[in-house]
Amino acid sequence: MADTQGITGDQLKSYIERIEKLEEEKANLQADIREVYSEAKANGFDTKVMRQLVRLRKMDQQDRSEQEELLHVYKTAIGME
Amino acid sequence: MADTQGITGDQLKSYIERIEKLEEEKANLQADIREVYSEAKANGFDTKVMRQLVRLRKMDQQDRSEQEELLHVYKTAIGME
Amino acid sequence: MADTQGITGDQLKSYIERIEKLEEEKANLQADIREVYSEAKANGFDTKVMRQLVRLRKMDQQDRSEQEELLHVYKTAIGME
Amino acid sequence: MADTQGITGDQLKSYIERIEKLEEEKANLQADIREVYSEAKANGFDTKVMRQLVRLRKMDQQDRSEQEELLHVYKTAIGME
């Protein structure tokens, strides 16, 4: 690949191709994740609540309980509970 | 509204209601934007290219031409042009 | 504005300018929303929990309680509660 | 894991853990992608333009040239070129 205004085509192309390969693997993983959710759905699970569960499990246990407690306090304060 | 653990329900509720009002106005504007795009589409315009145009017009003129020039250089360097 | 390959410049420009005006108003509203959250934060409120509250209040009351109940069931089923 | 209201904890937990594993792999890939971009940046490449290149290369060649041509027509029609 010719040099163009100081840009080495080979080097640029190798970065682009490495990125494209990683993006492709990432897209495959995303498809696998969707696959697991649709399998769970087919078995009667609620995928929206499952996603909440996955999000909550990512949180530090203490942060999570503090946040849940504060949400309860706020709900009570504005009459939602 | 009762105070709950030091949280003044009225104050919290007023913040929440102000946010909800602004979010509603924002949603209405988003609907208006979609409306203009569908009107343009009905008149034969390509909305994907229109969105590119809107994005480009947000950019500073010089940044835009530098970026377009560099994209051309990169495309040439990896044989896309 | 000249016609270019059947594209009436004036018509296209008017669509673009209407969209830009609406986008600007939307950006202003977004700034106002951020303003309210930072005001609340300055007054000791937790903005992450406030955002949860705003999201929950958008939901239909019954959907919300069903979802909260199911989340509790799922948490118990996998030993999170 | 006990059954809770008909929900088999084991089955739910296995779905959740499969998803978490896939999400972790996806996050690692995302980190690898960021790594390549920062390597390219350190070697003088403009990562914003590289991302445009990656996006363009995903497009079908004909769609891409049609879109580029139409963007040129629209720019000319509203006096941007």
Side-chain angles (χ1 to χ4, degrees), chain C residues 33-80:
Chain C
I33 290 170
R34 273 196 303 273
E35 188 64 41
V36 179
Y37 275 116
S38 51
E39 198 184 307
K41 187 170 188 175
N43 280 284
F45 289 101
D46 181 311
T47 53
K48 207 184 268 186
V49 177
M50 282 178 70
R51 287 179 196 276
Q52 274 186 287
L53 216 52
V54 170
R55 228 181 2 253
L56 288 173
R57 283 168 54 104
K58 267 190 205 154
M59 288 174 74
D60 160 79
Q61 172 111 27
Q62 184 165 347
D63 288 349
R64 198 178 76 218
S65 13
E66 278 168 20
Q67 212 177 71
E68 282 168 356
E69 173 51 28
L70 195 57
L71 182 60
H72 173 66
V73 168
Y74 279 20
K75 278 181 174 176
T76 311
I78 65 168
M80 266 174 86

Side-chain angles (χ1 to χ4, degrees), chain B residues 7 11-12 15-16 18-20 22 25-26 29-30 33 36-37 39-40 43 45 50 57, chain C residues 7 11-12 15-16 18-20 22-23 25-26 29-30 33 36-37 39-40 43 45 50 57:
Chain B
I7 301 287
Q11 195 183 13
L12 176 58
Y15 285 132
I16 296 290
R18 275 167 64 192
I19 287 163
E20 286 172 342
L22 291 166
E25 283 172 44
K26 203 180 104 183
L29 281 173
Q30 190 55 52
I33 291 170
V36 178
Y37 275 117
E39 199 185 307
N43 280 285
F45 289 100
M50 282 177 71
R57 282 167 55 104
Chain C
I7 301 287
Q11 195 183 14
L12 176 58
Y15 284 131
I16 296 290
R18 277 166 65 192
I19 288 163
E20 285 172 342
L22 291 165
E23 291 274 8
E25 284 172 47
K26 203 181 105 184
L29 282 172
Q30 191 55 52
I33 290 170
V36 179
Y37 275 116
E39 198 184 307
N43 280 284
F45 289 101
M50 282 178 70
R57 283 168 54 104

Side-chain angles (χ1 to χ4, degrees), chain D residues 9-69:
Chain D
D10 289 347
Q11 195 183 15
L12 176 58
K13 191 146 193 188
S14 106
Y15 286 132
I16 297 288
E17 284 172 350
R18 275 166 66 192
I19 288 162
E20 285 172 343
K21 195 166 159 299
L22 290 166
E23 291 275 8
E24 199 189 326
E25 284 172 43
K26 204 180 104 183
N28 293 339
L29 281 173
Q30 191 55 52
D32 294 345
I33 290 170
R34 273 196 304 273
E35 187 65 40
V36 179
Y37 275 117
S38 50
E39 200 186 306
K41 187 170 186 173
N43 280 284
F45 289 101
D46 182 309
T47 53
K48 206 184 269 186
V49 177
M50 282 177 72
R51 287 178 197 278
Q52 272 185 288
L53 217 52
V54 170
R55 227 180 4 255
L56 288 173
R57 282 168 55 106
K58 266 189 207 156
M59 290 175 72
D60 160 79
Q61 172 111 25
Q62 183 164 352
D63 290 351
R64 200 179 77 219
S65 11
E66 278 168 19
Q67 213 177 70
E68 283 168 356
E69 172 52 26

Side-chain angles (χ1 to χ4, degrees), chain A residues 4-5 15 18 29 43 45 54-55 59 61 68 77:
Chain A
T4 316
Q5 300 184 13
Y15 285 132
R18 277 165 64 191
L29 281 173
N43 280 285
F45 289 101
V54 170
R55 227 181 2 254
M59 289 174 73
Q61 172 111 25
E68 282 169 356

Side-chain angles (χ1 to χ4, degrees), chain C residues 4 11 17 24 76:
Chain C
T4 315
Q11 195 183 14
E17 285 171 351
E24 201 188 326
T76 311

